Amino acid sequence: MTTDANTTNPTHPADSGTGRRRTAAGVLGAATVAMGLIAGVFYIFACAIMPALARSDDRVFIAVMQNINDVIQNPVFFLSFLGALALTAVAAWRSRGAPNRWWVFAALAAYALVLVVTVAVNVPLNDALATAGAPARIADPAAVRGHFEDTWVAWNVVRAVLSTVALACLTRALYLLRRPQTSAYLESATGSSASR
C-alpha cells in the first residue's frame, strides 16, 4: 500500500521549506518591530523633545539632558537598540538567496550607520555633558550647552532619517517575504504552454 509522502513524512522538503520561511518571517517581523521602536525614539527627539528643550534656559537644558542620558541607559532601551541590530543581522543571514535579501541588507547597512553616528558623535557629547557636573555649579552653562546642542541635534536627525530608512527597507522585505510565491516549475510550465 502506497501513501502520500507529503502527508506521512514530517521532514519532507516542502514542510521544512515552509518552516524555514515561517522562521525567517518571524525574525524579520521582530527586526521590523525593534527598528520601528528605535526610529520612533530618534524621531520624537528630533520633532518634539529637542525643540521643546530649545525653549529652556541653559541650566534647565543641561539638567534635563543629563537626566535623559542617564535614565535611557536601561535594559528595555538597550534590548531594542541592540536588538534591532542583532535581529536585522540574523534576518540578513537567513535571507541569503531570497528575493527580498537586498532590502534586508540595505536596512542592516543603514542601521549600522546609526550605530556609527551614535558611538562617534552622540555618546561622546553625552559623556562630555555628564562630566560638566551639576548645572547649578557650572560657571558658563551657555558654553557647555553651545558645545552640545547644535551638533547633537543635527546628528540625531541623521539617526532618525537612517533608522526610518532601515524601517522602510525591513517593511518592504517583510512584504516581499509574505507575498505568495509562484514555484519555478509552475512558471516554466506556464511559459512552455503559452509558447505552443
Side-chain angles (χ1 to χ4, degrees):
M1 180 171 130
T2 60
T3 57
D4 186 356
N6 285 345
T7 58
T8 60
N9 186 359
T11 60
H12 188 272
D15 296 334
S16 61
T18 301
R20 284 194 300 269
R21 188 176 172 85
R22 285 179 181 162
T23 302
V27 172
L28 188 55
T32 305
V33 170
M35 194 67 71
L37 292 171
I38 291 303
V41 169
F42 296 142
Y43 173 78
I44 199 67
F45 268 98
C47 71
I49 295 175
M50 300 314 290
L53 283 177
R55 300 180 178 184
S56 305
D57 67 46
D58 298 333
R59 295 187 194 279
V60 170
F61 176 92
I62 294 169
V64 171
M65 283 307 301
Q66 285 178 335
N67 288 334
I68 289 174
N69 292 333
D70 184 46
V71 300
I72 204 169
Q73 299 181 62
N74 64 74
V76 175
F77 174 75
F78 283 125
L79 183 63
S80 53
F81 183 69
L82 298 177
L85 176 68
L87 289 167
T88 303
V90 172
W93 180 76
R94 294 191 66 89
S95 70
R96 301 179 325 275
N100 67 341
R101 66 188 179 278
W102 297 115
W103 292 102
V104 184
F105 294 157
L108 184 59
Y111 193 64
L113 289 174
V114 169
L115 292 179
V116 169
V117 169
T118 300
V119 171
V121 180
N122 294 89
V123 168
L125 287 171
N126 292 345
D127 292 343
L129 195 67
T131 58
R137 297 193 180 98
I138 297 174
D140 189 357
V144 172
R145 178 179 182 171
H147 176 72
F148 176 91
E149 185 175 17
D150 290 342
T151 305
W152 197 97
V153 167
W155 284 103
N156 182 70
V157 170
V158 172
R159 295 191 300 177
V161 170
L162 286 171
S163 56
T164 301
V165 168
L167 175 61
C169 290
L170 289 176
T171 302
R172 177 64 177 167
L174 192 58
Y175 167 77
L176 292 174
L177 184 64
R178 295 277 189 185
R179 193 170 62 178
Q181 301 289 318
T182 303
S183 71
Y185 173 78
L186 291 177
E187 287 179 352
S188 63
T190 303
S192 61
S193 63
S195 62
R196 290 176 190 157

